[in-house]
Amino acid sequence: MLLTRECDYAVRILRALSGGDTVSIPDICRREEIKLPVAYKLAARLEKAGYLSAYRGSGGGYALKADLKQITLYDVCRAVDQKLFLAGCVEPGFFCARNGNEGKCGVHRELCRIQGLLVRELSRRSLHEIFYTQEERS
């Protein structure tokens, strides 16, 4: 589960909209340094996921539809990239000869453990906490 550039940009789009205003895609791109075609594609995915509302016409753009207190980094990444697996062997239905009847291979077990840790950590804090908490974390 390597976080893709699309996941990063989707979080940036939500950050640009976190003030509650309707913001045009070109303005989001300027604020967050995102290429226009990528921003349109990701905004459409975030809208489909129920996180954004689109407004057409002059003065249109996108606005938050969902509460940032209810959205985690994991949620955003799942909305834009359905395959959030650390490695192919942790995907459901993946066949590996080493994962046969004698038990699961040690590499698979370790990757599954790490996958679980990543999901838990990405789900631990809301975007609201991430955007608005000023405390230092290390």
Side-chain angles (χ1 to χ4, degrees), residues 10-85:
V11 172
R12 291 185 196 191
I13 290 170
L14 292 170
R15 179 175 58 195
L17 298 171
S18 65
D21 297 327
T22 299
V23 182
S24 71
I25 290 291
D27 285 344
I28 292 170
C29 290
R30 277 190 291 282
R31 289 181 193 182
E32 298 294 336
E33 300 179 17
I34 303 171
K35 300 275 187 210
L36 201 61
V38 175
Y40 276 114
K41 178 175 78 168
L42 293 174
R45 288 184 189 171
L46 292 169
E47 181 184 13
K48 184 177 179 183
Y51 300 144
L52 302 182
S53 293
Y55 298 96
R56 310 288 180 227
S58 67
Y62 286 89
L64 282 176
K65 181 177 182 180
D67 184 352
L68 291 177
K69 293 177 181 174
Q70 304 300 318
I71 305 169
T72 66
L73 288 172
Y74 180 75
D75 297 328
V76 175
C77 291
R78 287 290 299 192
V80 299
D81 188 358
Q82 294 298 308
K83 291 194 170 203
L84 284 176
F85 298 105

Side-chain angles (χ1 to χ4, degrees), residues 64-124:
L64 282 176
K65 181 177 182 180
D67 184 352
L68 291 177
K69 293 177 181 174
Q70 304 300 318
I71 305 169
T72 66
L73 288 172
Y74 180 75
D75 297 328
V76 175
C77 291
R78 287 290 299 192
V80 299
D81 188 358
Q82 294 298 308
K83 291 194 170 203
L84 284 176
F85 298 105
L86 184 62
C89 75
V90 299
E91 290 186 52
F94 182 86
F95 174 77
C96 174
R98 300 248 185 242
N99 248 347
N101 294 332
E102 289 99 38
K104 301 202 184 278
C105 89
V107 173
H108 178 81
R109 280 193 312 273
E110 184 63 6
L111 291 175
C112 286
R113 184 189 71 76
I114 294 168
Q115 176 81 27
L117 289 171
L118 286 171
V119 169
R120 278 192 296 283
E121 286 300 308
L122 289 171
S123 301
R124 191 170 63 87

Side-chain angles (χ1 to χ4, degrees), residues 15 18-19 68 127-134:
R15 179 175 58 195
S18 65
L68 291 177
L127 290 183
H128 183 270
E129 291 175 283
I130 294 167
F131 294 162
Y132 297 109
T133 300
Q134 297 298 318

